[in-house]
Amino acid sequence: MLKFRSLKHVSWLAVASVLVACSGSPDYIDGFAATGAAMANADVTAKCVEGPPVSGKTDANGLFQLRIDNGQVAPCIVQVTDGAGTTLHSFANGPGRLNVTPLTELSVGKALGGTPASAFASFDRTKSDAIANKLAAATTAVKAEVEALTGKTIAGDMLISTFKVGDADDLVLDAFKVKLQDLGKPLADVTAAMAEGKSLSAIAPRVRVFGDSLSDSGTFGLKFTVQGSAATGPGSSSIWVDVVAAQYQKKLLCPYFRIIGSTVTTESGCTNYAIGGGRINNFTNPSAPLSVLVQLQTAAQVHGSYTASDILLIDGGGNDAADLAGAWLGATTPAGLQSFQTLLSSALGTSATATLLGSGPNGPVVAGVAYMEKLADNLADAVSTHAVNKGAKKVLVMNVPDIALTPRFSAVLTGVTAQAGAEQAAAAKSVIQSWVNAFNTKLANRFAATTSAASVVAVLDFNKTFRDQVANPGAFGFTNGTSTACPITGTDSSGLPSYTFPTCSATALSATSGKPSADWWQTYLFSDGFHPTPRAHQKAGEQALAVMTQRGWN
């Protein structure tokens, strides 16, 4: 008959099970072992604080039964090892139901403050007491963290509740297994980390992305750069957010929004909310997901809150600066001036816009500065409301690169030169750069060291690096910082060169005749008139990781 030397570490449920056993029935641990799938035909061994070990096998459904009435004294630690080499542990206060799963492995490890395998190897009263004293708190903590990670609810007691493959609690195991695979984290590493007191959220950070085409993983079925062997997913070219995410999770980023024609759908489980063409001020349709502000709001609604280890990557403002520059340059006719005023008013209001535009000869320039500063404020407010106030502690915001240095705006300024002369083109370039600087300065000030959000928000000065790359491409490993790798395939509605990303692939470019080598395009800074090449994205990702490392976010 199973014996207890002390009842102080035994739950009343376990005591009740012993009383039933003492009424004449044999003493058994009736167990179920599963990783999500049942651990079929696996070796099972129980070691109790006294008495010889007891061994058995699971059946095809992961069920096992160990008879422990030959001098064994509970509690007991149970180990299950299957043919694939997976080993899990659980803890039995006495006879009755016992589950052996990855969640019991985490719970025993957290309670012990060490690895369950080491406890099993030399199990004794001291180790038993160490586990029993903290097991209830450990299982509560593991339950909460696993539910937060998987988004699924554990209905019963992870150690003793009856369930089987296909039940709701088994689906939690499936989801947890997938999460660990996505993150590239083996269970042993997670167990060891939790035993050290680390939270599961700290072990398994999640990457969330917001912005425009610089960060879009494939909303429209491609990435806005030279195409890899695939347009999206495995084999596709890495953009800067992919470079960052690869350091934290095994799963590739995928787009939350999918857009085909005018149809917008969402993909549960995908965490890149960025959309090509995204704007801070999507003034023609402010509630559409093209708005970076809406993207942030949507993610906050989807996830509810963020953990301290979640990583948020945000960019925005480049298309807004381009909108402003285009409207200003086109304000040479009554219709053009009206369009410029409408754009400004959408952020500043009609009265403020009229006042700024009428403030003197530089009124339009001053109004443009106010407009970009307002957008920087709007983005910072959204980051605070939908990220920082939702618990995010690791937020990286990329500032706006100098769009006047892109091939697209070089072509625009060439047109200004042809129509109004080089001096006017230089002045226009200076105005556009002043607007970019106004946005970046305001953004930096909103998250400066003296602000409350400074400890959780870092601003990536992509603009400075981008300017340096254009001025001295060789210092960054580029051979060309002005031309595009993708061929011009036509002209757009503004008369500027247009490009076709679906046909601008690594394979096609490498096959281009008359080039010094097949990899000629790999050292270009620009893919098309407005977007970086994969190598430039790699550099941006490395810069982002360096900033995050400086913050201690690794």
Side-chain angles (χ1 to χ4, degrees):
M1 193 66 61
L2 187 65
K3 303 173 184 176
F4 289 95
R5 290 291 177 85
S6 170
L7 293 181
K8 71 176 182 178
H9 301 308
V10 182
S11 69
W12 284 109
L13 180 61
V15 172
S17 68
V18 171
L19 294 177
V20 172
C22 289
S23 67
S25 61
D27 294 328
Y28 292 106
I29 294 176
D30 292 298
F32 174 54
T35 60
M39 296 180 73
N41 305 311
D43 295 323
V44 186
T45 302
K47 288 184 178 180
C48 302
V49 293
E50 290 186 19
V54 182
S55 298
K57 298 279 287 188
T58 63
D59 66 13
N61 297 313
L63 299 172
F64 64 89
Q65 189 176 71
L66 299 178
R67 183 167 180 168
I68 45 176
D69 56 3
N70 185 30
Q72 288 83 13
V73 176
C76 311
I77 190 168
V78 176
Q79 175 177 281
V80 178
T81 302
D82 65 13
T86 299
T87 298
L88 299 176
H89 300 85
S90 193
F91 186 79
N93 271 320
R97 169 74 181 199
L98 183 71
N99 298 319
V100 186
T101 70
L103 306 191
T104 65
E105 178 83 1
L106 292 177
S107 298
V108 173
K110 187 170 182 62
L112 179 66
T115 63
S118 65
F120 180 83
S122 56
F123 191 66
D124 56 18
R125 172 68 66 181
T126 300
K127 291 184 177 63
S128 174
D129 288 351
I131 295 171
N133 284 334
K134 297 183 178 180
L135 188 58
T139 54
T140 298
V142 169
K143 178 178 184 292
E145 298 228 28
V146 170
E147 288 179 344
L149 181 67
T150 63
K152 296 184 179 296
T153 301
I154 301 171
D157 187 313
M158 293 184 294
L159 291 169
I160 62 174
S161 291
T162 300
F163 74 98
K164 62 182 183 296
V165 172
D167 284 352
D169 281 357
D170 179 63
L171 296 180
V172 176
L173 296 180
D174 290 332
F176 182 64
K177 183 177 181 179
V178 169
K179 285 292 184 182
L180 294 190
Q181 290 172 341
D182 289 346
L183 294 163
K185 303 286 186 182
L187 179 63
D189 289 357
V190 176
T191 303
M194 291 196 74
E196 295 172 359
K198 297 179 181 178
S199 68
L200 185 57
S201 60
I203 301 163
R206 299 169 295 180
V207 178
R208 308 284 185 253
V209 179
F210 312 89
D212 51 36
S213 53
L214 283 177
S215 305
D216 186 348
S217 287
T219 302
F220 300 95
L222 52 72
K223 295 179 180 178
F224 291 81
T225 189
V226 176
Q227 305 300 294
S229 59
T232 62
S236 64
S237 296
S238 291
I239 57 177
W240 78 277
V241 294
D242 295 322
V243 176
V244 175
Q247 298 299 309
Y248 298 95
Q249 62 186 43
K250 185 176 181 181
K251 181 181 180 181
L252 296 176
L253 290 171
C254 55
Y256 177 80
F257 296 106
R258 308 292 174 95
I259 300 178
I260 301 177
S262 60
T263 302
V264 180
T265 58
T266 59
E267 188 70 27
S268 175
C270 290
T271 60
N272 189 333
Y273 295 81
I275 300 178
R279 288 160 166 79
I280 297 169
N281 181 28
N282 191 46
F283 68 99
T284 60
N285 191 356
S287 63
L290 279 171
S291 165
V292 180
L293 313 184
V294 171
Q295 295 168 19
L296 285 159
Q297 181 181 29
T298 300
Q301 293 169 345
V302 170
H303 304 295
S305 63
Y306 295 106
T307 69
S309 65
D310 285 340
I311 295 166
L312 278 63
L313 306 176
I314 304 167
D315 91 282
N319 288 325
D320 297 281
D323 289 343
L324 179 63
W328 173 63
L329 290 171
T332 55
T333 65
L337 179 59
Q338 182 59 51
S339 295
F340 182 51
Q341 292 173 333
T342 299
L343 176 64
L344 294 172
S345 298
S346 65
L348 300 174
T350 303
S351 177
T353 297
T355 299
L356 290 167
L357 289 177
S359 62
N362 288 328
V365 177
V366 174
V369 167
Y371 177 82
M372 292 302 292
E373 289 180 337
K374 176 61 175 175
L375 266 55
D377 273 332
N378 290 349
L379 178 60
D381 289 343
V383 170
S384 296
T385 300
H386 303 303
V388 176
N389 292 349
K390 296 294 184 179
K393 303 296 184 185
K394 300 177 180 179
V395 183
L396 185 77
V397 184
M398 174 185 280
N399 69 10
V400 175
D402 185 350
I403 63 169
L405 299 180
T406 63
R408 176 177 179 81
F409 273 89
S410 292
V412 170
L413 294 172
T414 296
V416 174
T417 300
Q419 293 181 1
E423 185 175 343
Q424 286 297 316
K429 180 178 181 179
S430 179
V431 168
I432 295 170
Q433 290 175 326
S434 73
W435 290 338
V436 169
N437 290 339
F439 177 93
N440 290 340
T441 299
K442 173 64 78 169
L443 186 68
N445 288 340
R446 283 295 304 269
F447 298 115
T450 56
T451 64
S452 59
S455 63
V456 298
V457 180
V459 176
L460 174 64
D461 193 359
F462 181 55
N463 182 42
K464 180 181 184 305
T465 300
F466 174 69
R467 284 176 169 172
D468 291 343
Q469 289 171 339
V470 173
N472 188 11
F476 297 87
F478 297 105
T479 58
N480 191 309
T482 55
S483 303
T484 65
C486 296
I488 296 171
T489 56
T491 56
D492 63 16
S493 58
S494 301
L496 297 172
S498 62
Y499 307 82
T500 308
F501 272 130
T503 58
C504 182
S505 66
T507 300
L509 294 180
S510 294
T512 304
S513 60
K515 299 296 183 181
S517 66
D519 61 356
W520 63 271
W521 59 273
Q522 294 185 25
T523 55
Y524 272 49
L525 181 59
F526 296 102
S527 56
D528 72 342
F530 213 56
H531 301 95
T533 57
R535 174 167 290 193
H537 271 293
Q538 177 70 34
K539 296 289 186 183
E542 291 170 356
Q543 182 188 2
L545 287 170
V547 170
M548 296 168 72
T549 298
Q550 291 171 357
R551 285 296 192 98
W553 293 355
N554 50 351

